[in-house]
Amino acid sequence: MGMKRKDYEAALAPLTLELVSMARWVKATGARVVVLFEGRDTAGKGGAISAVRAELNPRQCRTVALTKPTEAEMGQWYFQRYVAHLPTAGEIVLFDRSWYNRAGVERVMGYASPEQVEAFLKAVPAFEKLLVDDGILLFKYWLAADQEKQEERLRERLDDPLKRWKLSPIDLAAREKYDDYTKAREAMLKATHTEHAPWTLVDFNDQRRGRLTLVRDLLSRIPDSHAEPEAIDFPDLGRKPAKEKFKVLKPIPDWEGGG
């Protein structure tokens, strides 16, 4: 049985405060943070990203979720379009899938040749060492889920009109390639789990518990990240608060629905 919502929200609240403090630290120190969220379709990457960034300043914490490459991008150095989204000083960037697409969906679905995949796996450790050596704090998470859970979540997307947009032909094709994705993941981990840029696997069969595990781990791996909020003087207004006044236009009528 999955974790109850009230228990999840109670456990997440103090972690969220720590995330906000961490973001202040990133801004104050000029740190650059990159977090990669990888995993099977339906594993829960979107929910995990939302848990991290929900209360952070969207101008400081960005999510990058790239679509398939354009014809021009296909002619570039493979990493080029990802490099363009790396953070500047004081920023946090969360990649909803990343350059590891080549080792996962592109490999399994045949969008990349074996030679391209092999070249990618050889290049990644050096590419990521360049990032880390330049001072970027890089965290790589793989969200794991059994096929039973994947089937359950795909069916939920199919039946829920609010989630139907999440269901793509690639998602459906992936159902038949669960074992192929496992093999691709293991090859990826073997080639790219390095001392300077290690992978962290998180069990996301229970997505709420998985989010808590991931957030806790992320916070524990950013050293000395506590930063007190800047003191702000907030004097009394000194008069009665004013009400809105309208001359040119007026607000539309209030909603009067039930509930």
Side-chain angles (χ1 to χ4, degrees):
M1 183 177 179
M3 189 176 195
K4 294 181 178 179
R5 178 180 291 277
K6 65 177 182 179
D7 295 332
Y8 165 71
E9 292 177 346
L12 182 62
L15 295 178
T16 301
L17 288 174
E18 290 188 52
L19 285 168
V20 171
S21 178
M22 179 269 289
R24 285 197 299 265
W25 174 85
V26 169
K27 182 178 180 181
T29 62
R32 291 168 292 160
V33 178
V34 173
V35 188
L36 310 187
F37 294 79
E38 294 287 347
R40 300 181 187 276
D41 294 318
T42 77
K45 294 180 290 296
I49 290 171
S50 294
V52 171
R53 69 167 294 177
E55 301 300 330
L56 304 187
N57 185 341
R59 294 183 181 87
Q60 180 193 16
C61 181
R62 297 186 281 115
T63 299
V64 176
L66 301 184
T67 58
K68 65 179 182 180
T70 63
E71 185 175 348
E73 288 171 335
M74 290 177 69
Q76 297 173 348
W77 174 49
Y78 178 75
F79 297 98
Q80 189 167 338
R81 70 186 192 128
Y82 295 101
V83 169
H85 296 278
L86 292 174
T88 189
E91 282 191 336
I92 302 165
V93 174
L94 313 176
F95 278 90
D96 186 348
R97 296 195 182 279
S98 65
W99 44 88
Y100 281 100
N101 269 349
R102 175 135 295 179
V105 63
E106 290 186 23
R107 176 177 188 165
V108 174
M109 302 305 293
Y111 300 146
S113 68
E115 292 76 18
Q116 287 175 316
V117 173
E118 182 179 359
F120 168 80
L121 292 176
K122 287 182 178 179
V124 168
F127 170 69
E128 292 178 346
K129 193 162 194 312
L130 287 173
L131 301 183
V132 173
D133 285 351
D134 197 56
I136 287 177
L137 299 175
L138 175 63
F139 305 99
K140 306 188 303 189
Y141 288 99
W142 176 274
L143 282 53
D146 296 334
Q147 190 167 28
E148 181 180 3
K149 284 296 182 182
Q150 186 181 57
E151 287 287 291
E152 179 183 310
R153 293 166 189 169
L154 286 172
R155 171 59 64 179
E156 183 181 0
R157 290 181 179 182
L158 180 65
D159 294 340
D160 187 344
L162 298 179
K163 296 183 179 181
R164 179 68 69 87
W165 65 271
K166 295 183 178 182
L167 192 62
S168 71
I170 294 178
D171 295 333
L172 296 176
R175 297 175 65 212
E176 305 301 323
K177 296 181 179 290
Y178 186 91
D179 292 338
D180 292 334
Y181 272 101
T182 298
K183 293 176 183 177
R185 181 199 65 212
E186 293 301 291
M188 178 195 75
L189 294 176
K190 184 176 181 180
T192 65
H193 178 60
T194 61
E195 184 176 350
H196 60 271
W199 279 98
T200 301
L201 276 59
V202 185
D203 185 343
F204 261 71
N205 282 303
D206 181 339
Q207 290 182 330
R208 290 170 182 162
R209 193 175 300 278
R211 292 172 204 155
L212 295 172
T213 302
L214 189 153
V215 171
R216 178 70 275 169
D217 180 81
L218 175 63
L219 288 167
S220 72
R221 293 168 62 195
I222 298 182
D224 303 322
S225 62
H226 180 74
E228 292 292 335
E230 182 181 353
I232 298 176
D233 185 26
F234 194 73
D236 186 79
L237 188 59
R239 57 173 173 78
K240 185 178 180 180
K243 292 185 178 296
E244 284 271 30
K245 294 180 180 179
F246 306 95
K247 291 184 178 180
V248 178
L249 291 173
K250 292 184 178 181
I252 62 175
D254 288 346
W255 180 69
E256 294 183 355

